[in-house]
Amino acid sequence: MSLQGKTLFITGASRGIGLAIGLRAARDGANVAIAAKTDTPHPKLEGTIHTAAEAIERAGGKALPMVVDVRDEDAVRDALDQTAKKFGGIDIVVNNASAISLTNTANTEMKRYDLMHQINARGTFMVSKHAIPHLSRAPNPHILMLSPPLDMAQKWFAPHLAYTMAKFGMSLCVLGLSGELRGKGIAVNALWPRTTIATAAIQNLLGGDALMQASRTPEIMADAAHALFLKPSRETTGRFLIDDSFLAEQGVTDFSKYRVTAGVPLAPDFFVPDASEPPPGALD
């Protein structure tokens, strides 16, 4: 089983988890539409849609790099149409694009609030909405949100209310769309990491080198997403998955290869419910 010949449309795929998911699919020979904003090199963020496309091609896939702001409805609609035209359809949509600001309410500027909600919640809704006609024609269609379980615990909201609302908005799309699209056979699921993942956001915004060393690599999310996309869409939908637990369901027992630095205790990510137990030995 593989994703050979399948077409993925991934937002925010110029770097990090989005790129890792694209690269994993490319190793199977998949087509990957890279829908992201970074067209020219950024002084603090590695990667552009063009470097991502080159990496996808080297990995064995076919790439379509496109400058897309997920706040722009015309741009989103056009990018989806371009992808379907070039590759003959769309099989998988990954809503990965996200904005983050871990500020409390008093220190959250409204323009930052608006940005997070426009990209995270509204962007996810809009990309999914305009992808439905394309996915309806696919034999095994999937929509995946990189968003957390809906754990309505105060501790997730009190420190950074605006960001939590925006991320949970993505997850509410999973809750609603999985029910709405079940009859069409379109799977809609969420995937979230148990630990921090070594990305530019961790390096530049959250914890620098120390937190990077205590993180897992994006490949754990890519492998979990790959396993999900191989599942029959009519049988696996409406789930809020944690990366290592889902991989354990698929028979994975060795998680050491995903560590950035062996022996450094892993840092927990936000939003993982207290009731979610890691697989045996996964954090050792």
Side-chain angles (χ1 to χ4, degrees):
M1 296 179 66
S2 81
L3 297 178
Q4 184 173 9
K6 299 289 187 180
T7 296
L8 290 77
F9 183 94
I10 308 176
T11 66
S14 58
R15 62 180 66 90
I17 294 171
L19 176 56
I21 290 173
L23 288 171
R24 180 63 187 87
R27 282 164 43 196
D28 284 0
N31 311 310
V32 181
I34 301 157
K37 286 182 63 180
T38 309
D39 184 39
T40 56
H42 188 282
K44 291 186 178 180
L45 300 173
E46 183 177 340
T48 68
I49 59 171
H50 306 294
T51 59
E54 292 168 1
I56 293 293
E57 299 274 354
R58 286 196 303 271
K62 296 179 180 178
L64 176 60
M66 295 175 290
V67 175
V68 179
D69 184 339
V70 297
R71 296 171 292 178
D72 184 334
E73 185 172 16
D74 289 339
V76 166
R77 194 160 35 204
D78 183 60
L80 287 162
D81 289 345
Q82 282 188 57
T83 301
K85 182 177 180 179
K86 180 175 178 64
F87 297 122
I90 299 174
D91 300 280
I92 296 162
V93 168
V94 181
N95 286 294
N96 167 71
S98 189
I100 181 172
S101 180
L102 298 180
T103 48
N104 63 21
T105 299
N107 291 309
T108 300
E109 298 178 356
M110 289 314 298
K111 66 178 182 179
R112 180 60 60 177
Y113 176 98
D114 291 342
L115 179 69
M116 288 190 286
H117 283 260
Q118 288 166 359
I119 293 176
N120 300 3
R122 183 177 182 273
T124 291
F125 179 92
M126 186 164 65
V127 170
S128 302
K129 165 188 167 67
H130 289 302
I132 291 171
H134 300 290
L135 294 169
S136 296
R137 295 188 284 270
N140 192 44
H142 284 264
I143 299 176
L144 178 65
M145 313 332 181
L146 276 297
S147 65
L150 286 168
D151 181 30
M152 295 296 177
Q154 189 179 73
K155 67 178 181 178
W156 303 132
F157 290 83
H160 33 71
L161 175 59
Y163 173 64
T164 301
M165 290 170 65
K167 288 306 289 188
F168 275 44
M170 295 175 71
S171 297
L172 287 171
C173 287
V174 175
L175 188 65
L177 284 174
S178 60
E180 181 179 347
L181 301 179
R182 184 173 281 108
K184 294 180 179 291
I186 301 174
V188 187
N189 295 286
L191 178 64
W192 193 249
R194 183 177 302 281
T195 72
T196 53
I197 300 294
T199 63
I202 293 294
Q203 179 72 58
N204 297 326
L205 300 176
L206 302 182
D209 291 337
L211 192 54
M212 288 286 280
Q213 298 303 315
S215 299
R216 284 170 167 163
T217 66
E219 281 67 35
I220 189 170
M221 293 288 282
D223 286 350
H226 181 269
L228 176 63
F229 299 149
L230 296 177
K231 297 287 185 184
S233 60
R234 290 186 177 274
E235 299 175 13
T236 307
T237 190
R239 296 192 64 185
F240 293 87
L241 305 168
I242 301 295
D243 54 0
D244 56 6
S245 292
F246 182 63
L247 285 171
E249 288 182 26
Q250 315 315 309
V252 176
T253 57
D254 181 9
F255 295 91
S256 61
K257 65 180 179 179
Y258 299 119
R259 283 177 176 263
V260 171
T261 305
V264 175
L266 291 165
D269 202 359
F270 303 118
F271 308 132
V272 178
D274 293 339
S276 176
E277 293 289 337
L283 302 182
D284 293 345

